[in-house]
Amino acid sequence: MSEKNDVFEKIVSLAKRRGFVFPSSEIYGGFGAIYDYGHYGTLLKNNIRDLWWKAMVQLRDDVVGLDSAIFMHPMAWKASGHVDGFNDPQVDCRQCKARFRADHLLEDFGIDADKATIEFINAELGKLREAGKLKCSNCGSRDLTDAKVFSLMVKSNLGSPTEALSEENVVYLRPETCGGIYLEYKNTVNSARVKLPFGIAQVGKAFRNEIVARQFIFRTREFEQMEMQYFHHPSMTKEKYEEWKQSRWTWYALLGIPEDKIRFHKHEKLAHYASEAYDIEYDYASLGGFKEVEGIHARGDWDLSQHSKFSGDDLTYFDEKTNERFIPHIMETSVGLARLFLMVLDNAYTEEEVKEGDVRTVMKFPKSLAPVKVAVFPLLKNKPELVAKAREVYDMLKQEWQCEFDDNGNVGKRYRRQDEIGTPYCVTVDFDTLGEEDASLKDTVTVRDRDTMEQVRIPVAELKDYFAKNLK
Ligand code: ATP
């Protein structure tokens, strides 16, 4: 196994063992490309989401929030082009039944088939087949089908059975969250006292029937997106695009990501309505290289024009200053929460030799993201005075931060466990805290730093100030 796959296996295993991420429905044998988040995973995911929300909504005067429904009127997905065009090209192996994305197969031969027609894809596959180069990466068979179009839309049956089953009434689970933003553009303008340019941001679940989803939480069939749509006059596209590109780039530093681990990837082939599209890619050690995390797209007036056309509603904006009426153009930033989550795990995962032959695994999360900020231990669990004092300290600190009380096993083991979930500080209550031998140490505790492993002695009365300063 390669070193890169090794990191992948280690991260997947730690994520499960320590309660970050579990394969969904495991007691029934699992359910393809769907995952659940355990206690620490939920805390970490919420922290990443909150950091995004703070940067995108709280700190901005020109962006407001939204939480739109997953189900939307079926016509909305016809207007957006998803019902007819949200497809991937699929190839099957007739021998082992493995499934592939045809554009990814061609990519392996250096052929760019992103957004290519099915005719182009099959012509290229044909050439490779004739040259004897095309075979199944799973079983080695050369018996692969031609590519066919596979819809990524996930159907549901909402409403009464007869209604739900008719073709015109198919209800979809949303494949992206921005659809709800376009539909609430008008209500937002009328209620939130916003003036162009302004943005609407939301976080929520999206669903895609991905053909191949084998990269842990990188590509799943149910996932969370954090999207912002920025409505503006067409003359501002260039300026606003550059501003957002820059502001999204700098946000990654807050996640502890060094600049040399991210890069911009420019889309050469654009959707017909788009004028610019870049992705931010992260260099995943666990996935063997740079992969897309976020898209930043200038979408023109396509979305509101289409919804206006299909709904018959007027979605123009009237600018009182210039007396101009127009359909606003849109700049989008769209990022997958699970891809950020995997990026944060990947970047934090560290193995280091503590002393000869003794290697510790430590998740070096930025403190702001760490699921648990402080763990509190009584030195021994069978000494009631130590346990009571440690509980007192824990009860005080948990009012301010996500804390954990741990009295299980020896302190060395407890440190290692906290290292693996990335807890920045551990506080130990010991006999000195009780002041039994040295009265000057009474009511002091040991605080151990996750990264340096150094320990300092701090009065209990000063702990809150200490963490307020150091957990920033
Ligand atoms: P990809 O090319 O990887 O399939 P995409 O270009 O189709 O992604 P977009 O439709 O632009 O992705 O979605 C915006 C963001 O949503 C992506 O950058 C990614 O972070 C996230 N995302 C998209 N599909 C998935 C998925 N199946 N699982 C997890 N996250 C996803």
Side-chain angles (χ1 to χ4, degrees):
M1 189 176 281
S2 77
E3 206 184 307
K4 301 227 149 90
N5 280 334
D6 231 35
V7 180
F8 180 76
E9 299 298 340
K10 284 175 178 171
I11 288 178
V12 174
S13 144
L14 182 139
K16 185 172 176 207
R17 185 160 40 85
R18 289 297 181 207
F20 284 91
V21 182
F22 308 122
S24 176
S25 313
E26 213 180 8
I27 60 168
Y28 288 101
F31 196 54
I34 312 275
Y35 290 89
D36 298 330
Y37 289 78
H39 178 60
Y40 300 120
T42 306
L43 293 170
L44 177 59
K45 188 150 68 78
N46 289 348
N47 291 342
I48 299 172
R49 183 201 59 204
D50 292 350
L51 213 60
W52 184 86
W53 191 264
K54 185 171 178 189
M56 300 297 282
V57 182
Q58 188 182 327
L59 295 180
R60 296 198 65 111
D61 298 334
D62 56 350
V63 180
V64 294
L66 178 73
D67 185 4
S68 71
I70 286 171
F71 288 120
M72 285 165 46
H73 194 286
M75 196 59 85
W77 301 117
K78 287 189 181 142
S80 66
H82 281 84
V83 172
D84 296 322
F86 196 48
N87 308 311
D88 274 338
Q90 172 189 328
V91 165
D92 289 305
C93 170
R94 290 199 184 85
Q95 289 299 315
C96 72
K97 310 291 175 219
R99 235 165 217 187
F100 304 97
R101 267 207 22 204
D103 52 333
H104 289 174
L105 281 182
L106 291 176
E107 226 171 78
D108 291 344
F109 291 95
I111 302 163
D112 182 4
D114 186 32
K115 298 193 179 65
T117 62
I118 200 78
E119 290 77 20
F120 172 86
I121 287 172
N122 275 325
E124 292 299 318
L125 287 174
K127 286 183 212 160
L128 292 171
R129 196 176 279 121
E130 261 172 44
K133 290 183 183 165
L134 197 63
K135 58 180 183 194
C136 172
S137 59
N138 188 43
C139 71
S141 160
R142 290 178 196 279
D143 197 5
L144 298 183
T145 63
D146 276 347
K148 66 174 185 233
V149 165
F150 181 83
S151 171
L152 301 179
M153 298 294 282
V154 178
K155 284 182 186 171
S156 177
N157 63 342
L158 199 67
S160 74
T162 41
E163 256 173 22
L165 289 178
S166 79
E167 258 313 298
E168 337 53 279
N169 269 323
V170 170
V171 174
Y172 295 96
L173 300 183
R174 64 182 177 196
E176 53 187 29
T177 53
C178 53
I181 297 182
Y182 307 137
L183 269 54
E184 291 307 345
Y185 158 76
K186 195 173 167 182
N187 279 332
T188 306
V189 170
N190 291 339
S191 64
R193 298 189 305 124
V194 284
K195 287 207 176 356
L196 248 56
F198 76 93
I200 304 178
Q202 85 162 322
V203 180
K205 291 258 174 148
F207 303 82
R208 295 183 189 179
N209 223 340
E210 297 280 359
I211 296 174
V212 182
R214 287 194 208 111
Q215 291 165 314
F216 189 38
I217 53 172
F218 181 80
R219 187 182 301 285
T220 51
R221 297 194 168 109
E222 172 178 340
F223 57 98
E224 270 163 284
Q225 283 186 317
M226 306 197 289
E227 298 198 292
M228 190 281 311
Q229 309 291 307
Y230 200 74
F231 301 85
H232 59 83
H233 187 275
S235 63
M236 291 181 121
T237 302
K238 215 171 160 31
E239 176 198 337
K240 289 295 161 197
Y241 191 82
E242 285 314 311
E243 267 176 39
W244 277 110
K245 209 172 140 213
Q246 192 51 36
S247 109
R248 293 308 301 146
W249 176 267
T250 50
W251 182 74
Y252 284 73
L254 301 181
L255 301 182
I257 305 300
E259 284 213 348
D260 62 353
K261 279 191 162 182
I262 48 174
R263 71 180 185 196
F264 278 121
H265 166 77
K266 183 176 165 63
H267 283 228
E268 295 306 334
K269 282 191 207 131
L270 295 174
H272 64 91
Y273 48 81
S275 59
E276 196 72 277
Y278 277 82
D279 292 337
I280 294 180
E281 297 183 334
Y282 168 74
D283 189 6
Y284 288 91
S286 53
L287 299 177
F290 280 96
K291 301 235 179 285
E292 172 183 341
V293 182
E294 169 157 6
I296 305 163
H297 309 135
R299 303 179 57 88
D301 64 0
W302 161 259
D303 305 286
L304 291 186
S305 299
Q306 284 294 102
H307 288 302
S308 191
K309 191 167 127 196
F310 277 70
S311 68
D313 209 344
D314 179 6
L315 298 178
T316 55
Y317 179 85
F318 182 68
D319 189 328
E320 284 164 3
K321 277 200 202 125
T322 59
N323 253 350
E324 200 185 348
R325 183 171 285 287
F326 57 94
I327 297 230
H329 283 222
I330 291 177
M331 244 285 320
E332 160 185 85
T333 74
S334 171
V335 64
L337 186 46
R339 286 197 187 174
L340 288 174
F341 186 101
L342 182 58
M343 176 187 81
V344 167
L345 289 186
D346 186 285
N347 189 50
Y349 185 87
T350 312
E351 288 178 10
E352 57 188 25
E353 195 162 53
V354 182
K355 47 186 185 301
E356 217 186 312
D358 183 10
V359 175
R360 73 165 180 155
T361 300
V362 49
M363 297 303 279
K364 294 195 172 176
F365 297 127
K367 290 172 190 169
S368 60
L369 293 186
V372 174
K373 309 292 188 219
V374 184
V376 181
F377 312 153
L379 182 67
L380 299 170
K381 84 179 201 190
N382 54 4
K383 291 279 175 239
E385 321 86 275
L386 290 179
V387 174
K389 188 72 194 169
R391 280 259 165 220
E392 205 181 288
V393 172
Y394 168 67
D395 286 343
M396 171 184 79
L397 295 176
K398 77 179 183 192
Q399 304 299 326
E400 310 290 329
W401 298 281
Q402 182 72 45
C403 295
E404 191 163 283
F405 184 85
D406 190 359
D407 59 5
N408 216 345
N410 67 45
V411 170
K413 280 211 179 103
R414 287 182 241 168
Y415 282 153
R416 290 300 164 86
R417 202 177 85 79
Q418 295 300 331
D419 284 347
E420 286 203 349
I421 60 170
T423 306
Y425 295 104
C426 295
V427 170
T428 306
V429 169
D430 55 21
F431 291 107
D432 283 337
T433 315
L434 305 178
E436 284 178 356
E437 280 183 21
D438 180 348
S440 72
L441 292 176
K442 188 166 164 38
D443 281 329
T444 63
V445 288
T446 302
V447 177
R448 182 252 198 190
D449 181 295
R450 176 194 71 194
D451 298 337
T452 62
M453 294 193 285
E454 273 166 19
Q455 301 184 9
V456 287
R457 198 84 201 167
I458 301 207
V460 171
E462 288 172 24
L463 278 179
K464 272 194 180 180
D465 284 347
Y466 180 84
F467 290 129
K469 199 165 112 220
N470 285 288
L471 280 169
K472 271 201 189 117

